[in-house]
Amino acid sequence: MDTDNKIPVLREGFLVKRGHIVHNWKARWFVLTPDKLLYYKYEGGKRDSCQRGKILLKDCLITCPFLEYENRPLAFKLQTKHGVDHFLEACSREERDEWAADITAALNKLQATDGGKPMSQKDSAQSRLQNINLKVLDSMYDVHSGIKLSNHVEQGSTYSNCFSSAVVDWLVFMQLSLTRGEAMTLASALLEEGFLQTVGQRSVEALRTASLSEQFMDDSTALYSFSDSFKKRGSVKSERSLSAVELSGKVVKRGYLLKQGHRRKNWKVRLFVLRSEPDFLHYYDPTKDDISPVGGFSLRGCLISSLDDNGVPSVKGNIQGNLFKIITKSDIHYFIQAPTHQEKMDWIDA
């Protein structure tokens, strides 16, 4: 989808954007060019030809991941040179990081063209360290594979949403650290920078008496939690509305797709998450802060087929194309559109 035949498109796809005046979240189709980020509305299953807005990239600052938004664990922030903040959310951590990398590359090219001062080695090292810590913290928050929080009783007091030195084992298990020593250093850095905090009197005393904070991080009696500024983030909540078994499978694929409603037959952007063992497909409303799925079904006994983009009488609305259909075991028909032909085939294969 070229915005102009003469302007190269570096990347395009769905992102969820927060409004400036009314702070609600809306799915928009974004197109990244060398000097601006354009966005369009999807209406009735087809991309609007009229551009809804644009973000001029020159002198912008990007923050990725942006961890301060409650219930938006996959958001990043783009701040213009005039101080206007744009908050955008991707469908997955990988997708978010790819968008951020492509935007950063465009920003660096603009800066180089403008004769901007390159980042010093010291600043670059500090930036990389901060980025690593944020990405580790982001992984710890993950609702599906993050570190498990639990309640702990210490000296008659109950502390909720805590974890123990299991974080060191978790960092090694998730291959975020190669050795236990490296994991202790990383966990210690998160503590020293205020991303984590000690919990309970025993932990406070243990940290005070430990010659190195790394020793404290590997103390099996020590407790710690996420800092107060992150405690309310929705990604730490459990999804209680659906069966825990349904949501216990490994996430195989996730992405934004257009789904047709069963009653009104209108098309809406939904975040689809495919899980295996057990095999389920759930979909979420990306405009809502609720992290629970709005629907889903078991894939056992389902039929999936690709549909021709034209001449499908059973599908109403303004069709962009790249259609496929899933028929469940109970004979419920789901009509879905992917943004591209390749994504349609990838979803069908998955």
Side-chain angles (χ1 to χ4, degrees), residues 142-306:
D142 192 282
V143 90
H144 307 297
S145 59
I147 192 161
K148 302 303 178 189
L149 305 179
S150 58
N151 296 334
H152 291 264
V153 178
E154 181 187 290
Q155 298 176 349
S157 299
T158 301
Y159 300 97
S160 59
N161 290 324
C162 304
F163 43 89
S164 65
S165 61
V167 69
V168 173
D169 298 317
W170 181 85
L171 288 168
V172 175
F173 175 75
M174 295 297 290
Q175 298 182 329
L176 293 167
S177 299
L178 296 176
T179 64
R180 286 187 64 82
E182 189 179 302
M184 285 190 286
T185 302
L186 187 54
S188 175
L190 292 173
L191 184 70
E192 288 170 2
E193 291 184 23
F195 293 125
L196 305 179
Q197 63 185 14
T198 55
V199 173
Q201 189 59 36
R202 185 189 298 170
S203 298
V204 173
E205 290 172 358
L207 180 60
R208 191 183 297 128
T209 56
S211 57
L212 291 170
S213 57
E214 282 95 331
Q215 295 174 0
F216 166 74
M217 300 308 288
D218 204 27
D219 183 344
S220 61
T221 65
L223 297 176
Y224 36 91
S225 68
F226 295 116
S227 63
D228 291 334
S229 58
F230 297 128
K231 275 185 177 176
K232 292 183 179 179
R233 292 181 70 254
S235 53
V236 227
K237 297 175 187 172
S238 58
E239 295 164 312
R240 300 183 186 86
S241 59
L242 290 183
S243 161
V245 176
E246 280 190 33
L247 300 164
S248 65
K250 180 184 177 184
V251 175
V252 176
K253 188 172 179 60
R254 52 190 292 157
Y256 292 128
L257 298 169
L258 287 153
K259 174 189 167 292
Q260 189 183 57
H262 289 297
R263 291 176 185 155
R264 295 176 59 193
K265 306 299 181 187
N266 55 348
W267 292 91
K268 292 192 175 178
V269 178
R270 293 290 181 251
L271 170 62
F272 279 79
V273 179
L274 175 64
R275 294 177 174 88
S276 66
E277 299 178 5
D279 304 329
F280 273 86
L281 184 62
H282 294 102
Y283 51 94
Y284 301 72
D285 184 349
T287 68
K288 307 293 184 189
D289 282 346
D290 189 2
I291 60 163
S292 298
V294 293
F297 50 89
S298 169
L299 292 175
R300 186 179 294 276
C302 282
L303 297 174
I304 182 167
S305 59
S306 174

